Amino acid sequence: MINNPLPPGSTIGIFGGGQLGRMLAIAAARLGLKSHIFSPQHGSPAFEVASHQTVAPYANLEAVKEFASAVDVVTVEFENIPLDTYEHAAKFAPIAPPPTALAISQDRLAEKKFLTSHNIPVAPYLEINKETDIVSAIYKLGPDGILKTRLLGYDGKGQIRLGANIDPDAAIKAYSGEPSIFEKLVPFKLEISCIAVRDYQGNIVFYDCPRNEHRNQMLAESHVPAGVSEDLEKLAQAYTAKIAEKLNYVGVIAVEFFALAGATETPLIVNEMAPRVHNSGHWTMDACHFDQFENHIRAIAGWPLGSTKRHSNGMMVNLVGHDMDRWEEVASSEGAILHLYGKTETRAGRKMGHVNYLYEKE
Ligand code: AMP
């Protein structure tokens, strides 16, 4: 907990050195705050824009102690930071978001249980611990579903899509043996997300919900406005507020939803939540005066939150893998606002940057 706003010159400690850490550090620098990045990887994209770096495994608790003792608040850019590491940091510096938020979003089963315990709808699912569980899950929920590992799953990682024409034997063969869930395929009309920011006093504000399009189970585009009813956006915000309140959350939180077609008792189902800034909020960098990165820094540093108002309509397009080769063409295209993450190696499926396009608000 931070009672007084951290003055300019203070240092934000960030676990994780990817593009989200990089954009957080840039936002902090704009406010006269320094960043110290802790990442196990040499050459992490966030290092280039931060005043201090620690390269050490997350399990190195001596390094964690040194890092947390040198900063004024600790946060994460990635939910899969080992819980022991994050809790150890908390002995030497204030931390935000709370560790429970990480614990829940690290484990798909814990996340589903947390959400259902608060009457927030999720896709029907069953726990998978052994091969025969797959057969009984298919029997109970039908074959149209996705086998998802409980841990370390994001951007479609650790997922096997099943279906009527997939032989359960093939599914069993593909099953890693890791604790997993089998989740029924949701016939959604579209996907939206809610990005909210909550401060230490419990004030919460929301960005407009973007509509998200995925390719290969990875976010490809976000559009604002989403083109959904005001009621649906309000419902997404109400669910997000409930999640944030129950977690006593501080910082930016993102919740991804499936919106179902037609009149239904459950128009929205939560897909997953992320206790951090989120790819589907990157349009805020150009379509809002205060983007998600600045608002995360403001929240955790105990500063007043910035307005989440959007001055333009917008579209965000991810540059994934060799999309990056088009950088020069994008850079010369009028109205394309290019953000590159400084990654030296282009790999298939790797997020290399994104482009924001703005349109006049009617
Ligand atoms: P995830 O990694 O769980 O966020 O999944 C990535 C994407 O896969 C989602 O954004 C959806 O497009 C799709 N997906 C995941 N779970 C389901 C589901 N139960 N029903 C339909 N589509 C899904």
Side-chain angles (χ1 to χ4, degrees), residues 218-219 318-324 347-353:
M218 184 191 272
L219 182 68
N318 269 338
L319 297 177
V320 180
H322 285 282
D323 293 347
M324 173 68 191
R347 286 196 303 266
R350 191 175 198 205
K351 289 177 182 167
M352 305 299 294

Side-chain angles (χ1 to χ4, degrees), residues 108 123 146 148 153-157 159 161 183-186 188 191 214 217-218 256 258 271-272:
R108 286 189 193 275
I146 307 183
K148 299 182 176 183
Y154 57 96
D155 287 344
K157 289 186 176 62
Q159 299 192 6
R161 196 120 178 186
E183 194 179 300
K184 197 172 165 65
L185 215 61
V186 174
F188 61 80
E191 293 183 76
H214 290 77
Q217 283 158 297
M218 184 191 272
E256 294 178 51
F258 297 134
N271 173 26
E272 59 182 4

Side-chain angles (χ1 to χ4, degrees), residues 328-358:
E328 225 175 320
E329 176 201 321
V330 176
S332 56
S333 136
E334 202 186 330
I337 308 169
L338 183 59
H339 299 264
L340 297 179
Y341 306 150
K343 296 183 181 177
T344 43
E345 197 192 336
T346 306
R347 286 196 303 266
R350 191 175 198 205
K351 289 177 182 167
M352 305 299 294
H354 68 270
V355 192
N356 285 335
Y357 298 88
L358 299 184

Side-chain angles (χ1 to χ4, degrees), residues 55 84 114 138 143 202 216 289 318 353:
V55 183
D84 286 355
F114 166 78
I138 291 174
N216 304 321
H289 291 300
N318 269 338

Side-chain angles (χ1 to χ4, degrees), residues 5-279:
L6 294 180
S10 305
T11 304
I12 311 287
I14 303 173
F15 276 121
Q19 65 268 17
L20 301 179
R22 179 183 171 103
M23 291 184 274
L24 283 169
I26 293 172
R30 274 205 315 265
L31 301 176
L33 297 162
K34 297 184 200 310
S35 293
H36 184 154
I37 308 288
F38 188 117
S39 165
Q41 272 105 35
H42 285 279
S44 290
F47 285 170
E48 288 174 11
V49 296
S51 34
H52 298 89
Q53 302 89 19
T54 298
V55 183
Y58 290 125
N60 182 342
L61 296 186
E62 234 351 270
V64 169
K65 174 182 174 183
E66 216 172 288
F67 159 74
S69 308
V71 303
D72 298 292
V73 64
V74 172
T75 192
V76 298
E77 62 113 42
F78 181 52
E79 60 272 37
N80 288 315
I81 306 300
L83 219 55
D84 286 355
T85 301
Y86 197 46
E87 283 173 339
H88 195 63
K91 294 179 188 157
F92 309 100
I95 60 169
T100 357
L102 262 67
I104 289 171
S105 45
Q106 282 176 2
D107 180 351
R108 286 189 193 275
L109 183 65
E111 188 174 278
K112 300 255 190 233
K113 286 185 171 167
F114 166 78
L115 293 167
T116 41
S117 75
H118 295 298
N119 297 317
I120 298 175
V122 298
Y125 70 95
L126 285 167
E127 202 175 330
I128 305 291
N129 295 308
K130 53 186 183 312
E131 291 175 352
T132 48
D133 291 345
I134 301 177
V135 182
S136 62
I138 291 174
Y139 180 74
K140 287 182 189 145
L141 298 179
D144 287 325
I146 307 183
L147 197 57
K148 299 182 176 183
T149 53
R150 279 173 54 182
L151 308 180
L152 296 173
Y154 57 96
D155 287 344
K157 289 186 176 62
Q159 299 192 6
I160 307 168
R161 196 120 178 186
L162 307 185
N165 45 14
I166 292 182
D167 175 5
D169 282 347
I172 286 170
K173 252 199 210 130
Y175 171 54
S176 60
E178 285 174 50
S180 298
I181 57 167
F182 178 77
E183 194 179 300
K184 197 172 165 65
L185 215 61
V186 174
F188 61 80
K189 191 172 81 179
L190 48 87
E191 293 183 76
I192 61 170
S193 53
C194 179
I195 292 138
V197 52
R198 188 170 185 270
D199 67 15
Y200 289 104
Q201 287 71 42
N203 301 305
I204 186 163
V205 285
F206 308 93
Y207 288 99
D208 286 346
C209 292
R211 175 173 60 77
N212 302 318
E213 287 176 17
H214 290 77
R215 276 192 277 283
N216 304 321
Q217 283 158 297
M218 184 191 272
L219 182 68
E221 294 178 10
S222 294
H223 299 257
V224 274
V228 299
S229 70
E230 210 181 310
D231 283 355
L232 204 73
E233 282 213 34
K234 288 260 169 322
L235 183 62
Q237 292 174 352
Y239 284 147
T240 306
K242 194 169 186 184
I243 293 168
E245 271 158 35
K246 297 292 173 196
L247 293 170
N248 206 10
Y249 197 89
V250 174
V252 166
I253 184 168
V255 183
E256 294 178 51
F257 296 93
F258 297 134
L260 303 188
T264 142
E265 261 176 52
T266 49
L268 281 179
I269 281 181
V270 172
N271 173 26
E272 59 182 4
M273 54 193 242
R276 54 168 167 80
V277 286
H278 196 256
N279 193 172

